[in-house]
Amino acid sequence: MDKQEVIAINPEEGAVGTTPLATSPAKPTGSLAGNLAWRAVTDWSAQIVSWASLLVVVRVLAPSDFGLVAMSGAFYSFLRLAGEFGIPITIMTLRDMTEDEIAQLHSVAVMLGVAAFLLGCLCAWPVSLFFKTPRLMPVVIVSCLSLIPLSLRSVPEGVMSKQLRFKPISWFNAIRDMVAAITTVSLALLGFSYWALVAGNLLSVTLRAVLILFACRQPFAWPKFAAVKRPLLFSWHVLVSVFAWSSYNTLDNVTVGRMLGQASLGFYGMAWTLANMPLEKVVSLVTTIIPSYLAKVQKEPAALRGYLHTLTEALALATFPATIGLALVARELIPLALGHKWDSMIVPLEVLCLYTAFRSIEALLPKLLTAVGNARFVMWVELSALVIMPASFYVGSHWGISGVAIAWLAYPLATVPLYWKALKTIQMSLWEYVTSVRPALDGSIAMAIAVSLLKWKLPTLQPALFRLVIEMVAGAIVYVGTVLLLHRERAMSFFQIAKRMRKPKAS
């Protein structure tokens, strides 16, 4: 949850919808690019360490170890949402809250965190019975310990986001990821099996919470219902929408674990992790920063259109080649990178990559609607998806983990109301939105055709590594070449953004 300083996109009609951030004359817009650059540098530096550690851990641990931790995570994610209660987002969005109200919310957050931990301890045994895995009970209890430091940092992190203090938050995220990677690898090599994953997460969460508490010390105040009623109501809408979203994002794991077993969940969970890497480190880079900008211009449809158009175009250009490209080369990449014991995850990975490509651009819509005060509408849309998606997972499970992955292709249907409301709210036409995706879509189609032709023409006797490298290089060249050929002006605009982001302090 990171936010930044005031932005001022040109509010005039016509200039906003198609002008990228770097070309706007307003100085605060440059600040967005600079802060994104700072966050990108720290996040991706830590991610290199995380990816390297993942390659080690997947070769040391068994798929069943990952499946066991995924079972615990399916339950833990719900408790984490209940403990946070949407409070950080509320602090950022409701910009007129007093210091006393924030102090009262701080107390409420800690109470909720402690309550969530106790509930986790009480439910650990029933959860282990549900998954028919006795070893799961202590894993759930230890994992839930992190709910307490999470509750302590909830309000301070929301305040830091509202104050636009991105640099320290970026550093804290990098430290968290590196500590998790080092701890997990060390314990895995020492033979701690699935406890390596549990301990790595617990230590990293606790360390990040301590760093935030030192950076932003917030007082406590005894909560009074009359004073916190409005922010808590808004928090409730945020909580329910995020809870519903997290539910159907977790229920695929629950379905696989319950219907297909621990080993299958290990394969599926790894496919999900790899497919969502572009979302985790590219999309989250934007969605954790942009809400504060959207909240500051929540009554300016022209500025909101500018943000949605530019950021959708940028995210598509960054994530489409990564997600679709991963799907295209998965059959060569997985045996080489992870070993043949992970071959069962290839088909689910290919399908999930298509879902994540769509999700990468759709993820902006709930942020936009919440920032302009439509959290209640987002809540009802997510609740409807909570009906559609679990039913799809159950039906898909009859065809194994590939069927559960295919069920995610029903997700675009659930997002139709979000598109309708968002485009209507900011007075943006559907065609204008589609044009923001065209450069990445055209490049991805050309890339898919080129790589498919190579797979057909390259001799199968060639080493797998050789074929993988040729496919990746050719796909990248075709993607970039197509974008430059058909959308050169737009591509050069984003190249200028990249140049500016290399010098964030000058923004």
Side-chain angles (χ1 to χ4, degrees), residues 319-329 353-354 357 440-441 444-445 447-448:
T319 59
F320 279 23
T323 54
I324 297 174
L326 178 57
L328 291 170
V329 302
C353 283
L354 299 179
L441 190 59
S444 298
I445 292 173
M447 176 181 66

Side-chain angles (χ1 to χ4, degrees), residues 404-481:
V404 177
I406 292 172
W408 274 108
L409 299 183
Y411 181 72
L413 176 64
T415 65
V416 170
L418 283 179
Y419 275 96
W420 171 79
K421 184 67 172 180
L423 297 183
K424 180 181 179 182
T425 299
I426 65 176
Q427 303 166 25
M428 186 179 196
S429 69
L430 179 60
W431 175 247
E432 185 179 0
Y433 179 83
V434 171
T435 59
S436 65
V437 187
R438 275 290 305 281
L441 190 59
D442 291 343
S444 298
I445 292 173
M447 176 181 66
I449 294 173
V451 173
S452 298
L453 288 174
L454 276 175
K455 286 178 177 288
W456 179 44
K457 289 292 185 180
L458 283 175
T460 56
L461 296 178
Q462 292 286 352
L465 180 59
F466 173 79
R467 287 185 280 115
L468 174 63
V469 171
I470 293 297
E471 291 171 9
M472 292 177 66
V473 172
I477 292 174
V478 170
Y479 178 84
V480 173

Side-chain angles (χ1 to χ4, degrees), residues 250-266:
T250 303
L251 286 173
D252 57 343
N253 283 330
V254 173
T255 303
V256 172
R258 176 68 176 177
M259 302 292 293
L260 305 175
Q262 182 177 330
S264 294
L265 181 55

Side-chain angles (χ1 to χ4, degrees), residues 248 381 383-393 407 410-411 413-415:
Y248 60 76
V381 172
L383 286 173
S384 67
L386 184 56
V387 176
I388 296 172
M389 298 312 303
S392 302
F393 298 146
Y411 181 72
L413 176 64
T415 65

Side-chain angles (χ1 to χ4, degrees), residues 71-80 82 114-144 147:
M71 289 176 180
S72 173
F75 176 64
Y76 169 84
S77 62
F78 293 112
L79 292 176
R80 176 172 178 169
V114 173
F117 167 69
L118 295 175
L119 180 60
C121 294
L122 290 174
C123 294
W125 183 58
V127 170
S128 67
L129 290 179
F130 175 81
F131 283 108
K132 305 174 184 177
T133 308
R135 294 185 301 167
L136 187 59
M137 181 177 175
V139 173
V140 170
I141 294 174
V142 174
S143 297
C144 287
L147 294 169

Side-chain angles (χ1 to χ4, degrees), residues 38 160 164-173 175 212 215:
W38 185 268
M160 290 181 71
L164 319 174
R165 296 169 61 184
F166 292 104
K167 288 187 178 180
I169 292 179
S170 298
W171 277 114
F172 300 159
N173 292 340
I175 293 171
I212 289 176

Side-chain angles (χ1 to χ4, degrees), residues 1-4 32-44 166 170 173 277-291 293 311 315 318 364 501:
M1 296 283 311
D2 308 352
K3 320 296 173 241
Q4 296 164 345
L32 171 59
N35 280 307
L36 285 173
W38 185 268
R39 182 68 177 266
V41 168
T42 53
D43 277 10
W44 282 96
F166 292 104
S170 298
N173 292 340
M277 276 185 175
L279 261 68
E280 293 298 325
K281 293 303 177 184
V282 176
V283 177
S284 64
L285 175 67
V286 174
T287 56
T288 55
I289 290 177
I290 195 60
Y293 285 88
L311 292 173
L315 287 174
L364 290 170
M501 289 177 69

